[in-house]
Structure formats: C-alpha cells, structure tokens
Amino acid sequence: MRSRTALRRALAGAAVIAAAMTAAFGGATAASAHDSLVSSSPAEGDSVSSLSEVTLDFSANLLGADGGNIVIVVGPDGRHYESECAALAGPTLTTAVALGAPGDYQVEWRAVSSDGHPVSGVIPFTWTGESASDGSEQSPCAAAVGAGEAAPETDAASPAGMSGLTIGLLAGGGAVVLVGILIVIILRTRSRED
C-alpha cells in the first residue's frame, strides 16, 4: 500500500516538474516573439539627397494602437522635420518629411508589435540635399510622442514595469503552482478513499 502511495507521489512530482519546464520554456518563447524592423528608407547609415517620406517595414502587421506607432525625424539642430504623423498600412509605417540643412539626421521610431508589445529604435542617416524646411521645435504629433520627446531607444516594458519574458514566466509559474495544488488535492482524496 505504501509503495503505491510513494509511486503516486513520485509521478505527481514528475508531472509538476514537466509542467514547470513546459511553462517556463513555452512562456519565454511566446513572450519574446516581438516583431522586428525588416527594412527602412532611408536605411541606417545611408547618405541621401532626395527624401520626401520615411518608410519602415516590419516582420508582421503592426497594431494600430492610438499613439503607439510613432515616427519622428530629428535634424542636427535638434528640430523636428516630419511634416505629419505616421500612417500605418499593415506591416509598414510611413511619414512625410521636409528636411532642413544638410547634415546628420535620425529617424526615431516606436511601433506596437503584433503581440501587443512596443518595439523601438533609431536610424541615423545623412542628408545631402537642399533645405526644404526650417523644421519645428516640436513634433506635429507631440501629443502622441509626449510633448516632443523622442521615442525610447530600447524595447519598452509592459505597464507594470516588467518585460514580456518576466510576465510569461510568472504566468507559467502560476499555472504550475495551480496544477501542483490540484494534483496534491486529488492524491490526498484518493489516498483517503483507499
């Protein structure tokens, strides 16, 4: 009788460990599957003499969250040269630009990945063309950008300040604990019946 109980406990422990490993590795994979920037025009490090819009192409369709998709263009003088807010079409973000004096510019972007997590980055490029604008101190989409602040340079965290990986691991761990509790309750109920 005791060997049966020991065998049941060993099997329950093995099931809990297997569930924990599945949840941990499965949660990590799902949480880290953010979309990525596939190409851009201009590309990082490009030297361009003609540019009327910036185009960013991603690995999957982005979500159209209000204010979540932002593309700004900042010149060497720190002024903004995007002439309208970013437009979303599936996996592509575009924004019209009118650049100023020749020099080093950068595209600062933030997009809402198809998994709901924000991704962001910076694309430096050199402008060699004629000045078409004096730029502005603030983005035309300042409300979305946050009063003219640049998009963050790293992957933004989730609302509670935790990364998607952390949330996935916590959710997986919680599921494992719940399964473990249920197994213990079932085994105790069965052992009382024997």
Side-chain angles (χ1 to χ4, degrees), residues 17-148:
I17 290 171
M21 291 175 62
T22 301
F25 292 121
T29 302
S32 62
H34 306 313
D35 300 328
S36 59
L37 182 66
V38 175
S39 65
S40 67
S41 176
E44 184 173 342
D46 272 359
S47 182
V48 296
S49 60
S50 175
L51 187 67
S52 61
E53 71 178 13
V54 170
T55 304
L56 307 174
D57 293 308
F58 292 85
S59 58
N61 289 347
L62 301 174
L63 298 181
D66 292 334
N69 298 314
I70 300 166
V71 179
I72 62 173
V73 180
V74 180
D77 53 4
R79 296 176 70 84
H80 290 262
Y81 290 92
E82 66 276 11
S83 50
E84 56 188 53
C85 296
L88 174 63
T92 304
L93 280 174
T94 57
T95 191
V97 297
L99 301 181
D104 293 331
Y105 285 73
Q106 61 184 19
V107 175
E108 299 175 6
W109 60 268
R110 182 180 70 212
V112 181
S113 183
S114 61
D115 66 359
H117 291 90
V119 292
S120 60
V122 177
I123 303 166
F125 69 97
T126 302
W127 170 243
T128 60
E130 298 290 322
S131 177
S133 168
D134 291 332
S136 64
E137 290 185 24
Q138 180 169 297
S139 172
C141 305
V145 176

